[in-house]
Amino acid sequence: MCGIVGYVGPKKSMTTLIDGLKRLEYRGYDSAGISIMNGKGVETRKAKGKIAALEQAISAHPLDGNIGIAHTRWATHGPPNEMNAHPHTDCTGTISVVHNGIIENYGPLRAMLQKTGHTFTSETDTEVLAHLIEAAFDGNLEEAVIDALALVEGTYGIAVISAKDPDKIVAARKGSPLLIGLGDQPGEYYVASDVAAILQHTRQVVYLDDGEMAILTRTGYEVCDLDAQTVKKGVSRIDWDLDQIEKGGFDHFMLKEIFEQPTTIQNTMRGRLVPDEGFSKLGGLNLTKEELQQLDQIVITACGTSWHSALIGEMMIEEHARIRCEVEYASEFRYRNPIITDKTLCVVISQSGETADTLAAMREAKRRGAKTLGLVNVVGSTIAREDDGGIYLHAGPEIGVASTKAFTSQVIALALLTLKLGRLRNMSVVKGREVAQALEELPGQIQSMLDRAAEVEKIAEEFVTATNFLYLGRGYNFPVALEGALKLKEISYIHAEGYPAAEMKHGPIALIDENMPVVFIAPHDSVFDKVVSNVQEVKARGGRVIALTSRDEPALHGKIDYEFRIPQTIDMLNPVLAAIPLQLLAYYIAAKRGLNVDQPRNLAKSVTVE
Ligand code: M6R
């Protein structure tokens, strides 16, 4: 989704801004632009498409200056083209704005501004901001920004420069992440929507909260609220490294991230699992033992892949902790009238910690009196800062738009939570130890599958031209079927659906013929015998069966066309193992189709708009 980077300081800003934009590419975008302030005023270059196109535009008409703002746009209002790319300027070309988010009342604001003589050059909602600031400007940029924002409904993370009040960047946030970087050199400050954009320059950051504004100049920075009252902010230190957001010899980030999973799930468990006691220590829960014991309901809310891990969490918690658990799409939860009491725990799952619907659902749950617990990967993200308690995933930065390592870490975090809740309620120490031991075995088991990735690649070769796929699983493996199908469709653009295997005969079975590949997640678990019948139903109709099995199964002999062996584990942890070959299958099919695996069309890494 859209990205912002800005710089003020002693250096020429161009290289810093372009490098910053490149670090934001992973978020997904379709045009880019840059405004630089120099002796000539504010100069802007924009281009449709990739940052390379913007670089070409700049080399044709070079820019220079020490203060600048830059943007990658993911189209919402108006198609991706040069005209709609950010930054947007006012009528005089002296005020320049980059914006993430959506101005919901841009229609009436635009009409009002046009009536008073403002001329618009784009179809975007953002352009109204430039004109509102122009209309309010009376010599001081931050005052004009405050006046303009008072008229705006919607969400924004913005950075603004003006030739009429030069030497400063004004940034403001409501509902769209923004942070300030404190540079290594004196008088050097950055603004960014994502720490990845500035990490090569600084690790010292100040996160802005909703309703806050920052003024960055070469003499310092100030944070205030939208009544211009100073706000005291703490400085946070980023503790991950740049090489974690580089490909490290892999063709794509997604492949690198798939291969990182033996380590990333270990990182999720580190210091938390107590195998001898069959217990987990979760320091960030911020709930007393009594509060945990008194919970009468858990609601888990999330979107996309995180919603799939939520479904697995629901099964784990109900089976082992015996607490009623509901899973809700965050986008639905926020607009319903859900039953929440003070004995409800709302678990919020999000890799980015910035997904607009998930954040809004968490705020709604809080408003209704629930305690909230965030399972979040990005440290310092909005959900992580606003939840009542949290379990960081510690999976490291996930750059590929298709979520892989975050998914397995989410399932691990949910397993740790299940252990904690289960052992406080119904789970015996023997069962706790069994779960803990199975958790400890997972990294080695994942590695053993990754060592056989070539087997999955070979299967993928057979299906590069497929147009449809079905993924089927039962019990804990039904959400894995959904996740396998999502992975395939989002990066390969092949239509794929996941179903509970037994549901197939209630409709999807009509689709089965020799052109329909069907992936069965069929480890030797408590529902294996049932899955065999479903495999038979597909085979009898000529479907091509790809099966994930965990041992030689005589019952499947002659019924499957392609097989990949996954290690044996306990039912509740099968999803962690089964996800790996499904991620690889999607990856290899998409890569062999020559597609942009890390930045699939129309998708954004972090969906910060509703
Ligand atoms: O950052 P989040 O986990 O909140 O993101 C939720 C979804 O947008 C995300 O999982 C999306 O479905 C991914 N593209 C899946 O690969």
Side-chain angles (χ1 to χ4, degrees):
M1 198 135 279
C2 307
I4 289 175
V5 58
Y7 173 82
V8 51
K11 290 187 297 209
K12 301 281 188 205
S13 56
M14 180 57 67
T15 315
T16 303
L17 295 174
I18 291 288
D19 285 351
L21 289 184
K22 287 181 179 166
R23 297 278 177 202
L24 295 176
E25 282 194 291
Y26 78 96
R27 300 174 66 88
Y29 71 106
D30 36 46
S31 60
I34 196 162
S35 282
I36 300 265
M37 190 132 54
N38 54 32
K40 298 182 214 151
V42 172
E43 289 194 285
T44 300
R45 305 282 180 269
K46 310 200 252 190
K48 178 184 172 187
K50 294 296 172 194
I51 289 160
L54 177 64
E55 287 182 292
Q56 272 172 14
I58 294 167
S59 67
H61 301 283
L63 286 179
D64 204 4
N66 303 74
I67 297 184
I69 53 176
H71 192 261
T72 48
R73 172 175 187 253
W74 186 81
T76 56
H77 296 66
N81 57 31
E82 189 181 323
M83 182 181 80
N84 289 330
H86 300 206
H88 288 287
T89 47
D90 66 329
C91 298
T92 63
T94 55
I95 295 168
S96 184
V97 181
V98 289
H99 165 228
N100 291 354
I102 290 180
I103 307 300
E104 285 164 6
N105 60 338
Y106 85 101
L109 288 175
R110 186 176 168 121
M112 182 264 286
L113 287 157
Q114 278 170 327
K115 259 194 203 151
T116 54
H118 289 262
T119 307
F120 283 75
T121 55
S122 79
E123 300 155 82
T124 65
D125 54 332
T126 300
E127 196 182 346
V128 300
L129 288 172
H131 293 278
L132 285 174
I133 297 168
E134 177 189 11
F137 190 82
D138 191 20
N140 178 287
L141 184 59
E142 54 270 34
E143 285 171 12
V145 170
I146 289 178
D147 289 348
L149 292 179
L151 300 173
V152 159
E153 286 163 22
T155 56
Y156 53 78
I158 57 167
V160 190
I161 54 175
S162 170
K164 290 186 184 157
D165 187 8
D167 301 325
K168 67 170 71 152
I169 297 176
V170 175
R173 164 191 170 143
K174 183 183 160 206
S176 196
L178 215 53
L179 54 93
I180 302 164
L182 315 183
D184 294 335
Q185 297 192 43
E188 186 175 57
Y189 298 96
Y190 303 83
V191 59
S193 54
D194 180 330
V195 74
I198 59 171
L199 190 64
Q200 70 189 108
H201 306 292
T202 180
R203 291 177 172 281
Q204 309 277 90
V205 302
V206 175
Y207 293 104
L208 291 188
D209 286 308
D210 281 354
E212 290 178 350
M213 183 168 91
I215 302 116
L216 316 179
T217 68
R218 267 177 266 197
T219 54
Y221 74 95
E222 190 197 337
V223 179
C224 60
D225 62 20
L226 294 182
D227 293 321
Q229 298 303 307
T230 301
V231 179
K232 269 200 156 33
K233 302 288 289 183
V235 176
S236 305
R237 194 182 150 74
I238 305 298
D239 60 5
W240 47 271
D241 292 318
L242 212 51
D243 60 5
Q244 287 180 266
I245 52 169
E246 282 166 355
K247 285 189 201 145
F250 287 90
D251 287 344
H252 295 97
F253 283 110
M254 181 179 175
L255 191 61
K256 176 185 174 229
E257 287 157 7
I258 292 172
F259 273 78
E260 280 173 354
Q261 289 173 102
T263 309
T264 50
I265 66 159
Q266 248 165 341
N267 290 343
T268 311
M269 288 187 265
R270 180 159 297 121
R272 290 168 167 166
L273 193 61
V274 191
D276 292 347
E277 293 170 38
F279 196 64
S280 70
K281 287 190 293 189
L282 298 171
L285 288 191
N286 291 340
L287 286 165
T288 63
K289 194 173 155 188
E290 290 67 37
E291 282 172 319
L292 289 171
Q293 278 166 333
Q294 279 161 17
L295 290 177
D296 67 2
Q297 177 189 221
I298 293 180
V299 173
I300 316 183
T301 186
C303 304
T305 286
S306 301
W307 184 80
H308 297 155
S309 70
L311 294 175
I312 297 162
E314 175 187 24
M315 293 185 205
M316 289 179 182
I317 290 167
E318 290 205 339
E319 180 179 0
H320 296 292
R322 308 301 295 153
I323 306 175
R324 192 152 39 94
C325 190
E326 297 287 334
V327 174
E328 289 257 13
Y329 281 116
S331 54
E332 295 296 319
F333 178 86
R334 62 184 291 194
Y335 291 119
R336 300 204 298 115
N337 189 8
I339 298 172
I340 302 280
T341 71
D342 58 358
K343 292 200 179 84
T344 302
L345 176 66
C346 178
V347 177
V348 178
I349 308 181
S350 175
Q351 187 287 130
S352 61
E354 301 291 355
T355 300
D357 283 323
T358 312
L359 176 60
M362 181 181 82
R363 287 177 176 161
E364 181 59 17
K366 260 186 154 179
R367 202 180 62 75
R368 287 170 180 264
K371 287 267 185 315
T372 57
L373 177 72
L375 268 56
V376 171
N377 193 35
V378 177
V379 176
S381 56
T382 309
I383 291 176
R385 285 183 290 128
E386 291 192 16
D387 58 20
D388 297 315
I391 308 175
Y392 272 126
L393 303 180
H394 296 313
E398 190 178 67
I399 306 295
V401 164
S403 189
T404 52
K405 62 179 181 172
F407 172 74
T408 46
S409 283
Q410 287 165 353
V411 178
I412 298 293
L414 287 160
L416 295 173
L417 180 63
T418 302
L419 260 188
K420 172 96 186 175
L421 294 171
R423 292 284 286 108
L424 284 176
R425 299 164 78 110
N426 293 294
M427 192 190 269
S428 68
V429 67
V430 175
K431 185 74 195 170
R433 283 191 192 128
E434 184 198 331
V435 173
Q437 190 192 331
L439 279 166
E440 283 193 302
E441 286 169 6
L442 287 175
Q445 292 177 319
I446 293 178
Q447 189 58 55
S448 73
M449 286 189 287
L450 293 172
D451 293 342
R452 296 186 288 118
E455 290 176 36
V456 183
E457 186 171 6
K458 229 168 147 204
I459 299 174
E461 267 160 26
E462 300 292 321
F463 294 98
V464 175
T465 56
T467 49
N468 289 291
F469 256 87
L470 264 186
Y471 286 72
L472 303 177
R474 299 182 79 139
Y476 283 103
N477 295 314
F478 160 53
V480 188
L482 294 177
E483 176 59 8
L486 179 66
K487 284 290 87 79
L488 185 71
K489 73 183 121 188
E490 64 182 342
I491 60 169
S492 73
Y493 317 143
I494 294 173
H495 171 242
E497 293 192 52
Y499 267 93
E503 270 298 300
M504 185 187 54
K505 56 185 169 298
H506 299 289
I509 199 162
L511 299 170
I512 308 284
D513 63 14
E514 60 284 1
N515 295 318
M516 177 62 90
V518 184
V519 179
F520 274 96
I521 299 123
H524 199 88
D525 60 7
S526 55
V527 285
F528 174 75
D529 294 339
K530 305 285 167 200
V531 177
V532 173
S533 321
N534 305 134
V535 174
Q536 255 158 343
E537 288 156 10
V538 170
K539 214 50 220 162
R541 285 155 186 88
R544 296 163 80 193
V545 174
I546 303 161
L548 304 184
T549 57
S550 59
R551 64 184 202 188
D552 179 39
E553 301 286 5
L556 290 178
H557 287 176
K559 298 189 186 74
I560 50 185
D561 301 287
Y562 305 89
E563 185 175 11
F564 184 82
R565 217 31 88 68
I566 65 174
Q568 188 70 45
T569 184
I570 56 173
D571 283 17
M572 69 179 254
L573 297 180
N574 265 323
V576 177
L577 297 180
I580 308 293
L582 298 185
Q583 294 167 352
L584 287 169
L585 184 67
Y587 170 79
Y588 286 124
I589 290 177
K592 286 176 195 300
R593 285 162 78 104
L595 296 169
N596 187 345
V597 175
D598 286 330
Q599 291 162 36
R601 71 182 178 207
N602 304 339
L603 290 180
K605 182 64 187 161
S606 157
V607 183
T608 51
V609 294
E610 200 178 335

